[in-house]
Amino acid sequence: MYDYLVVGSGLFGSIFAHEARKVGKSVLVMDKRPHIGGNCYTENRDGVDVHTYGPHIFHTSDERIWKYVNQFATFNHYVNRPKVNYKGKIYSFPINLMTLQQLWDVTTPAEASRKLEEVRVPCANPRNLEEWILSQVGREVYETFIRGYTMKQWKRDPKDLPSFIIKRLPIRLTYDDNYFEDPYQGIPIGGYTKIFEGLLQGVDTALGEDFFADRQKWENRAKSVVFTGKIDEYFGYSCGELDYRTLNFEHHAQAGDYQGVAVVNYTEADIPYTRITEHKHFQVQDVHKIKNTVWTKEFPAEWNRDAVPYYPINDEKNNSIYSQYKEMAKNESNVIFGGRLAEYKYYDMHQVVGSALQKSRKVLGV
Ligand code: UDP
């Protein structure tokens, strides 16, 4: 009998397992996929660390979280500076002075600020994504960079989406095109999988195993369960199904360099993919030595129970369903829920690390 059965070997589960093992607990980590790492998993193909489940860029402002992940890999100095392709023209992104220069020919912060004053659609109390972004940058910027991408990504009108989704993106009147504000940023040299190998060193794993295929059997193997899967599935969908967005990926391999940068967003509504990731550009330390390249088109799609749930959709309807499951979870003794799916939260990696450390240390009493 193990002390803990951890369902899911993504960031939350693997960190919990690591912390538990460190204090002498016995842990079994299971995952229905044949590999560890959840959606952070990377696999090496001809020297390219392919982000199999979409691009992952680690960033944080918390030194403690940064030090924690650096125990398991050395991070390179990659800085995320994606580009936008709109009607064949490349723009600097996230929205910064260079973007506005390309769009409006303004060159100084003062000129840009004057232009924005002219085009903003004032709104005293923005209630959704569209109202918020229009009140910041006006209609042309919204139509060029945001509307099409957001419709494809969420298959919802931006009027029906919460504004926190877009507040992840900075808007700057300087030439700084770094996507993230955080002081710590990078990609693990050797890929993300290396971090999970380090976290799970000495921990028993059962890969390619589905918890729900024989729930009783798995639950009987441990005194407590750490559940990182979909919370609605855990409770048998008794309060209704939560919605997710899934992604389909189309991977291509060839010689040379395909697009000259790690990520290009395609913001037109008519192009079915949202972005193309060229993985080797994440490996800034040796991108020039890597002869081959792998690039991936990312197509957001309608989720169904057989698809991978990538993004929770935190609109009113789903948040209210989730809050019922959250209440039920409180009565589940000996079960710890955590991570993007069990907390139904659009977490970034560093936030999962933070919450996994906090929860595991509380539960383990360290
Ligand atoms: N977004 C957009 N245009 C872009 C990139 C992002 O409108 O070129 C919006 C879109 O609504 C998206 C959100 O900003 O869902 C967050 O994007 P981010 O790239 O941070 O999300 P990720 O998919 O990488 O978690």
Side-chain angles (χ1 to χ4, degrees):
M1 172 80 101
Y2 287 94
D3 290 313
Y4 290 100
L5 169 72
V6 176
V7 184
S9 65
L11 267 179
F12 191 96
S14 297
I15 289 174
F16 189 96
H18 183 78
E19 293 303 307
R21 196 197 65 90
K22 241 172 39 189
V23 296
K25 302 289 183 192
S26 59
V27 187
L28 174 63
V29 174
M30 67 181 301
D31 203 296
K32 67 178 174 190
R33 287 183 176 148
H35 61 73
I36 56 174
N39 289 346
C40 299
Y41 174 73
T42 52
E43 59 191 318
N44 193 280
R45 286 196 218 163
D46 289 336
V48 180
D49 290 321
V50 176
H51 296 215
T52 309
Y53 304 101
H56 283 71
I57 299 134
F58 200 93
H59 59 95
T60 181
S61 59
D62 187 329
E63 193 184 353
R64 197 182 50 115
I65 290 173
W66 184 241
K67 279 194 176 149
Y68 189 84
V69 294
N70 273 269
Q71 294 175 91
F72 306 102
T74 303
F75 280 67
N76 68 16
H77 292 112
Y78 176 81
V79 173
N80 198 31
R81 304 179 198 283
K83 304 287 169 260
V84 157
N85 181 320
Y86 180 73
K87 299 197 172 164
K89 181 169 168 172
I90 297 292
Y91 292 89
S92 182
F93 201 74
I95 298 161
N96 67 83
L97 197 45
M98 183 59 90
T99 323
L100 301 182
Q101 197 281 326
Q102 292 170 312
L103 202 63
W104 293 330
D105 237 1
V106 292
T107 53
T108 64
E111 277 180 71
S113 177
R114 274 197 297 276
K115 177 74 185 175
L116 283 173
E117 273 311 311
E118 261 170 57
V119 298
R120 275 189 189 121
V121 182
C123 180
N125 186 17
R127 284 158 307 173
N128 56 57
L129 193 157
E130 181 171 290
E131 285 182 0
W132 188 82
I133 196 76
L134 284 174
S135 74
Q136 301 295 304
V137 292
R139 188 155 296 276
E140 189 180 357
V141 173
Y142 171 58
E143 298 285 346
T144 310
F145 300 106
I146 310 297
R147 187 159 197 279
Y149 189 104
T150 299
M151 300 268 285
K152 292 190 285 187
Q153 173 73 6
W154 300 99
K155 211 180 170 212
R156 273 164 177 70
D157 197 294
K159 286 191 193 76
D160 299 325
L161 286 167
S163 55
F164 82 83
I165 289 175
I166 202 75
K167 288 182 180 162
R168 296 162 59 84
L169 270 59
I171 299 166
R172 301 194 190 101
L173 298 192
T174 66
Y175 286 104
D176 180 5
D177 59 354
N178 181 351
Y179 210 70
F180 303 112
E181 307 276 357
D182 293 334
Y184 306 107
Q185 179 175 182
I187 303 280
I189 296 173
Y192 282 93
T193 305
K194 203 174 148 188
I195 294 182
F196 292 89
E197 286 163 358
L199 284 167
L200 295 177
Q201 204 171 24
V203 173
D204 289 348
T205 52
L207 300 178
E209 297 282 4
D210 183 358
F211 173 75
F212 292 106
D214 196 346
R215 184 172 181 159
Q216 200 71 60
K217 176 186 100 179
W218 292 105
E219 283 174 344
N220 288 341
R221 293 196 66 181
K223 295 180 203 148
S224 302
V225 171
V226 176
F227 184 78
T228 73
K230 288 166 54 221
I231 192 160
D232 53 347
E233 187 171 18
Y234 182 90
F235 289 111
Y237 304 103
S238 56
C239 300
E241 253 187 277
L242 291 165
D243 293 323
Y244 302 87
R245 288 296 279 162
T246 194
L247 299 170
N248 293 321
F249 296 102
E250 200 182 276
H251 299 287
H252 301 260
Q254 65 185 69
D257 192 333
Y258 178 70
Q259 62 182 15
V261 66
V263 182
V264 179
N265 293 346
Y266 285 76
T267 56
E268 276 163 80
D270 301 345
I271 294 177
Y273 46 91
T274 46
R275 54 189 172 192
I276 296 183
T277 299
E278 187 171 9
H279 307 262
K280 74 172 176 181
H281 288 288
F282 288 129
Q283 292 159 272
V284 275
Q285 72 287 356
D286 43 30
V287 62
H288 300 296
K289 289 184 241 149
I290 305 172
K291 301 241 170 333
N292 294 322
T293 194
V294 180
W295 53 275
T296 304
K297 280 184 179 172
E298 189 170 323
F299 300 80
E302 203 65 46
W303 185 79
N304 63 62
R305 282 193 194 176
D306 298 322
V308 177
Y310 284 94
Y311 294 92
I313 303 179
N314 290 107
D315 59 10
E316 257 174 56
K317 175 193 143 210
N318 287 293
N319 284 346
S320 120
I321 296 176
Y322 169 66
S323 62
Q324 296 175 56
Y325 287 125
K326 195 177 168 190
E327 278 308 305
M328 289 166 79
K330 286 184 189 155
N331 302 323
E332 220 44 19
S333 53
N334 296 329
V335 186
I336 296 138
F337 295 88
R340 211 186 242 213
L341 299 178
E343 294 181 64
Y344 199 66
K345 201 165 173 187
Y346 188 2
Y347 268 139
D348 280 345
M349 285 183 286
H350 64 290
Q351 295 167 321
V352 181
V353 175
S355 97
L357 284 176
Q358 198 184 28
K359 234 177 207 174
S360 57
R361 287 174 180 168
K362 191 171 157 209
V363 170
L364 300 163
V366 289

